[in-house]
């Protein structure tokens, strides 16, 4: 049996889960502080009902709805967990940060990806016909409606997913900007491509962490920027949980 032929029952057994624990949604976040972020995200849930033995995801309840959360950096690792939960039938929301590719934006600006160009190396295994990955219209519209209702500024634009952050040169960044891409992340293309492959709804909502088009990096420390990132992070979680509650 090939890995792609593994079934729901195989993954449930591997996780030590029962079918009753399968969540309605999985929230997947691209970040490398796995242990710290798992601990921080648990505070947004009403209660935790399952934790993976490898400590890379948990399942909790929020407003009576089962929701999974996974912190996984890069398309390869995040793609593995998204694949398994997509097999379960869980809807997928990608959250996290992006690098800004246009000059008319600022740190903290939200981006709801209208489509994602896949350069990540994973998406092509699931969506072979094109590298232009489209999210679920229904979930995309739900995110847009919620963020509009909260009167939070946002953009709905094209995103590009790269396989590496440290490999991004200013030449590459400027090329992406000229091609009209609004931002760059690493995980959104694979998340949405995998979800599409298994016919489950998915979308991506991110906030701007660093304005890479102006040479800013994650190593730059600015107190004002850190304050707005903290605010947007909390708002992002509230938006996502409100959408999940009403979906």
């Amino acid at each position: 049996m090939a890995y792609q032929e593994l079934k729901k029952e195989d993954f449930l057994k591997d996780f030590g889960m029962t079918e009753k624990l399968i969540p309605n949604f999985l929230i997947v976040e691209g970040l490398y502080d796995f242990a710290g972020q798992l601990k921080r995200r648990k505070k947004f849930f009403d209660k935790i009902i399952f934790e993976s033995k490898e400590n890379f995801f948990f399942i909790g309840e929020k407003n009576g709805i089962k929701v999974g959360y996974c912190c996984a950096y890069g398309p390869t690792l995040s793609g593995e967990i998204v694949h398994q939960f997509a097999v379960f039938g869980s809807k997928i929301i990608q959250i996290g940060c992006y690098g800004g590719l246009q000059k008319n934006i600022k740190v903290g600006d939200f981006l709801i990806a209208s489509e994602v160009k896949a350069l990540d190396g994973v998406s092509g295994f699931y969506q072979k016909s094109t590298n232009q990955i489209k999210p679920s219209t229904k979930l995309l519209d739900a995110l847009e409606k919620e963020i509009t209702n909260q009167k939070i500024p946002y953009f709905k634009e094209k995103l590009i997913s790269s396989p590496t952050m440290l490999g991004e040169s200013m030449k590459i960044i400027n090329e992406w900007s000229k091609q009209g891409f609004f931002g760059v992340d690493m995980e959104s293309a694979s998340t949405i491509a995998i979800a599409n492959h298994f016919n489950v709804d998915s979308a991506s909502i991110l906030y701007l962490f660093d304005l890479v088009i102006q040479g800013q990096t994650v190593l730059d420390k600015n107190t004002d920027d850190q304050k707005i990132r903290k605010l947007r992070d909390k708002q992002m979680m509230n938006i996502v949980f409100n959408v999940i509650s009403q979906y």
Side-chain angles (χ1 to χ4, degrees):
M1 177 184 291
Y3 282 108
Q4 200 178 62
E5 297 168 357
L6 292 169
K7 307 295 185 185
K8 176 173 69 174
E9 294 75 19
D10 300 310
F11 296 133
L12 287 172
K13 182 178 179 181
D14 182 55
F15 288 154
M17 285 174 54
T18 64
E19 194 161 351
K20 290 183 178 179
L21 287 170
I22 292 175
N24 300 62
F25 276 83
L26 173 72
I27 300 170
V28 58
E29 183 167 19
L31 197 72
Y32 46 79
D33 180 16
F34 305 142
Q37 197 68 346
L38 283 166
K39 184 177 180 180
R40 287 186 286 271
R41 291 306 187 208
K42 286 177 182 178
K43 297 176 182 178
F44 288 91
F45 287 74
D46 297 329
K47 63 178 178 179
I48 306 303
I49 60 175
F50 180 83
E51 296 185 61
S52 72
K53 56 182 178 291
E54 295 88 0
N55 196 33
F56 66 95
F57 79 87
F58 65 81
I59 299 168
E61 289 188 0
K62 182 72 172 181
N63 301 321
I65 300 171
K66 290 193 289 293
V67 181
Y69 171 82
C70 174
C71 182
Y73 181 70
T76 305
L77 183 55
S78 66
E80 300 282 296
I81 189 70
V82 169
H83 179 116
Q84 292 170 93
F85 278 83
V87 169
F88 293 159
S90 303
K91 293 169 278 291
I92 317 287
I93 300 180
Q94 177 74 50
I95 66 170
C97 307
Y98 71 98
L101 296 175
Q102 301 299 324
K103 295 180 180 179
N104 62 327
I105 52 179
K106 58 186 182 299
V107 169
D109 282 352
F110 276 110
L111 171 61
I112 301 173
S114 58
E115 67 177 64
V116 190
K117 182 173 182 179
L119 298 181
D120 57 283
V122 174
S123 302
F125 283 83
Y126 296 88
Q127 190 165 318
K128 298 179 174 65
S129 60
T130 177
N131 65 357
Q132 303 298 326
I133 313 297
K134 296 276 192 177
S136 158
T137 300
K138 182 181 177 182
L139 189 48
L140 184 69
D141 289 348
L143 286 168
E144 186 172 16
K145 180 181 178 181
E146 179 60 31
I147 198 170
T148 300
N149 288 344
Q150 292 195 27
K151 296 181 172 58
I152 300 171
Y154 74 97
F155 296 89
K156 185 168 75 172
E157 298 285 350
K158 294 191 300 182
L159 180 70
I160 190 165
S161 285
S162 166
T164 173
M165 182 173 69
L166 295 182
E168 296 168 7
S169 66
M170 283 308 302
K171 180 180 178 181
I172 291 172
I173 288 167
N174 284 320
E175 287 176 356
W176 290 342
S177 179
K178 290 175 183 177
Q179 291 168 12
F181 293 103
F182 199 81
V184 55
D185 82 335
M186 295 176 67
E187 299 87 9
S188 290
S190 58
T191 292
I192 296 170
I194 294 167
N196 289 347
H197 178 82
F198 290 105
N199 198 31
V200 298
D201 290 352
S202 67
S204 172
I205 178 170
L206 314 169
Y207 65 88
L208 196 154
F209 193 94
D210 49 349
L211 202 53
V212 294
I213 190 64
Q214 295 183 358
Q216 188 180 26
T217 74
V218 296
L219 301 181
D220 296 331
K221 305 299 181 183
N222 179 291
T223 302
D224 291 336
D225 286 350
Q226 290 172 337
K227 287 179 180 178
I228 191 65
R229 288 174 188 137
K230 186 174 182 179
L231 171 64
R232 295 303 191 223
D233 185 83
K234 183 177 180 180
Q235 289 174 328
M236 178 178 65
M237 294 300 292
N238 290 335
I239 290 164
V240 167
F241 278 122
N242 284 346
V243 167
I244 289 172
S245 296
Q246 299 166 33
Y247 201 75

